[in-house]
Amino acid sequence: MMERTLSIIKPDAVGKGVIGQIITRFEEAGLNILGMKMVHLSKTQAKEFYAEHEGRSYFDGLTEFMTIGPSVVMVLGGEDVIKKSRALMGATNSPEAADGTIRREFGTDGRRNAVHGSDSPETAVREISYFFDASELVGGT
Ligand code: CDP
Ligand code: MG
C-alpha cells in the first residue's frame, strides 16, 4: 500500500551533523522524500506534536529535548513506508536498537534517539498536517 509518513531528524542528530547520513539511509532503502523543512520547535509546538504522550513521566523531558535546537521534518512516501521507516529507525531505546539501525548508530539513549517516525496511517495524517500544507508536498496541489 502506498503511504506517507512524518519523519523527524531530532535536535540531537542535527547537532551531531548527521542529517545527510540519515537521509541517505532512507533514500537508499527506496523511500522518497516528498517534503522537507528545518524547524526549531517551541515548547508549545513540541507539546502539541507529542500530545498523545501527555501525562507520561517522560513528557516534560521529551518536549524540552525537542526544543534544544532545530529539527528536520520530512514527509516520506512509498510502499509500506510507515513500517519500513520504523524498521530503519530501530527500537526507541538507542543502545537496545538492532545493529545497523539509525537509532543504534546515531542515537544516545531512550530520549535522544535521533529520529521520529509516525506509528500508524492515522497518526501519519495528523503529524504530516501539523507541519505541511498539501501544496508543500510532491504530488500535492
Ligand atoms: O519514538 P517511538 O515511537 O519509538 O517511541 P514512543 O514510545 O512513541 O516515545 C516517543 C519519544 O519519547 C521517544 O522517541 C523518545 O524520544 C521519548 N521517550 C523518552 O524520552 N523517555 C521514555 N521513557 C520513552 C520515550
Ligand atoms: Mg511513538
Side-chain angles (χ1 to χ4, degrees):
M1 199 208 313
M2 287 301 284
E3 291 175 335
R4 289 174 173 179
T5 193
L6 193 280
S7 175
I8 303 180
I9 302 176
K10 294 183 179 183
D12 58 326
V14 172
K16 280 185 180 176
V18 294
I19 294 171
Q21 291 186 66
I22 290 173
I23 288 174
T24 297
R25 297 290 190 98
F26 291 126
E27 288 191 331
E28 286 187 340
L31 312 190
N32 299 308
I33 297 174
L34 305 180
M36 179 163 61
K37 57 180 81 167
M38 188 175 261
V39 291
H40 192 149
L41 295 180
S42 68
K43 190 72 190 274
T44 300
Q45 288 176 310
K47 286 177 164 176
E48 285 172 354
F49 180 76
Y50 277 115
E52 68 198 35
H53 297 266
E54 199 164 359
R56 300 296 177 115
S57 58
Y58 56 82
F59 185 68
D60 195 55
L62 165 62
T63 53
E64 193 63 32
F65 158 60
M66 291 301 290
T67 70
I68 61 171
S71 294
V72 174
V73 297
M74 299 180 286
V75 176
L76 303 178
E79 192 77 17
D80 282 325
V81 72
I82 294 172
K83 207 173 93 185
K84 282 184 188 166
S85 68
R86 288 187 64 95
L88 291 165
M89 286 162 52
T92 306
N93 188 16
S94 303
E96 290 176 4
D99 280 345
T101 61
I102 293 169
R103 283 171 162 172
R104 179 63 172 266
E105 183 156 350
F106 302 115
T108 302
D109 54 30
R111 171 166 302 145
R112 292 172 294 168
N113 56 7
V115 281
H116 166 85
S118 307
D119 63 7
S120 72
E122 297 72 29
T123 311
V125 167
R126 181 184 84 78
E127 293 182 350
I128 290 169
S129 68
Y130 188 76
F131 288 111
F132 294 92
D133 292 330
S135 62
E136 295 176 294
L137 302 176
V138 175
T141 46

